[in-house]
Amino acid sequence: MVYSKLVSSLIALVAILFVSFFVRDWLVLHECGAVQSCLDSTSDFQNITKFAVTCIATLLAFAIGRRSVTKRDRFFLQTGFLMILCADFCFKILYNYFGTPETRENFISLGIGFFFMAQMILIYRHSRTKNTDWSFPWIYCFPLAAVIAMIVLAQLHVLESYVLMAVLAYIPVLLCSLVVACMTLKFKFFPKANANLIVLGMVCFTCCDALTGLSLLSGADHSTIEVFAAVSNNFIWLFYVPAIIFLALSGYRRNV
């Protein structure tokens, strides 16, 4: 498929930004080592350019226009990307520039919440077998059960960390979203090229979230684990960028 000049230009801009912040991430890691305070204080360029990439991916989703697979599909994709944009705003902007030691955990939990909503919307988008399908996806039972379980555990004071509860609720919805994305190849609702992009996008999304989990080990009191967490953190966007770009492009109708 030949994309419009606007879409091609946006993809090229994403590639330029990706190379710039990816290289910068490794230079900073080389200079700072695994010292988190040093990494945080020298990451302004990466924070801004990474959020810019999310903005561009969202713009790609909203530039679909009449080239959508269907109007409903375009609506679901664009709504999902609004949730992704809000999530990255929490992680890259609010957390780094407005967060305090007391509020940063709240921004992380809020960001995971937006990602949870994005995956729920994507599950609905990818589970349809026809354009008039309004049925409730049965696979929703797993993430909703996880949310209910977290609420019960919080009420019983078994879990008191909002971040931990958000992560434990997010894992099932991510896995369900991956499964449903892979099933688009079987459902045949999406053209094969679009379904392939959906699968690739969600595989990359899952890999980046797995690396995000490993990067959370940065608070461990062990130098080897700290280094491992810092290295994992630098690979997150290697998967996240293609994830959101593939998903955005999956909304464009393919011309053979």
Side-chain angles (χ1 to χ4, degrees):
M1 174 184 177
V2 178
Y3 293 105
S4 67
K5 290 183 178 179
L6 172 62
V7 173
S8 299
S9 298
L10 291 175
I11 294 174
L13 180 57
V14 167
I16 293 170
L17 291 174
F18 169 75
V19 171
S20 65
F21 69 64
F22 190 72
V23 171
R24 175 65 180 166
D25 271 339
W26 289 102
L27 289 175
V28 167
L29 181 60
H30 176 71
E31 295 171 0
C32 295
V35 181
Q36 194 60 43
S37 58
C38 179
L39 293 172
D40 291 341
S41 64
T42 54
S43 295
D44 287 344
F45 176 80
Q46 298 95 299
N47 292 332
I48 300 302
T49 51
K50 287 174 181 177
F51 183 66
V53 166
T54 305
C55 292
I56 294 171
T58 304
L59 182 58
L60 276 174
F62 275 83
I64 294 173
R66 292 178 294 179
R67 303 192 71 176
S68 61
V69 177
T70 67
K71 290 183 178 179
R72 282 187 66 203
D73 181 69
R74 182 181 65 198
F75 170 77
F76 291 136
L77 184 63
Q78 291 173 347
T79 305
F81 263 90
L82 284 178
M83 297 296 102
I84 291 173
L85 183 65
C86 290
D88 279 338
F89 182 73
C90 291
F91 284 120
K92 291 299 172 187
I93 305 301
L94 293 180
Y95 178 87
N96 290 294
Y97 301 108
F98 297 92
T100 64
E102 294 77 23
T103 62
R104 281 188 164 184
E105 184 172 304
N106 295 333
F107 290 140
I108 293 176
S109 301
L110 184 60
I112 296 173
F114 278 120
F115 272 129
F116 182 95
M117 293 303 301
Q119 296 298 346
M120 291 289 278
I121 294 169
L122 291 176
I123 287 173
Y124 194 88
R125 178 202 182 208
H126 300 155
S127 64
R128 289 174 304 128
T129 57
K130 53 186 178 180
N131 194 45
T132 56
D133 183 10
W134 289 95
S135 60
F136 183 87
W138 63 267
I139 205 167
Y140 270 174
C141 296
F142 295 103
L144 292 177
V147 171
I148 293 172
M150 292 306 107
I151 294 174
V152 171
L153 291 175
Q155 291 297 318
L156 296 175
H157 302 289
V158 175
L159 289 178
E160 296 185 353
S161 170
Y162 290 123
V163 172
L164 180 58
M165 287 189 287
V167 170
L168 292 177
Y170 178 71
I171 291 174
V173 77
L174 175 66
L175 296 178
C176 290
S177 188
L178 176 62
V179 170
V180 172
C182 292
M183 291 176 68
T184 57
L185 295 170
K186 176 183 177 181
F187 292 153
K188 307 294 185 182
F189 172 76
F190 292 94
K192 186 176 180 181
N194 297 69
N196 285 335
L197 284 174
I198 289 170
V199 173
L200 287 172
M202 279 311 305
V203 168
C204 289
F205 217 120
T206 304
C207 291
C208 99
D209 282 341
L211 288 168
T212 300
L214 294 175
S215 71
L216 294 177
L217 297 173
S218 59
D221 296 324
H222 194 288
S223 58
T224 303
I225 297 178
E226 288 276 3
V227 172
F228 180 74
V231 170
S232 298
N233 184 70
N234 279 8
F235 279 112
I236 291 173
W237 283 72
L238 179 65
F239 291 97
Y240 187 60
V241 172
I244 56 179
I245 296 301
F246 288 153
L247 286 173
L249 294 181
S250 72
Y252 285 79
R253 185 176 65 251
R254 263 51 191 168
N255 295 327
V256 180

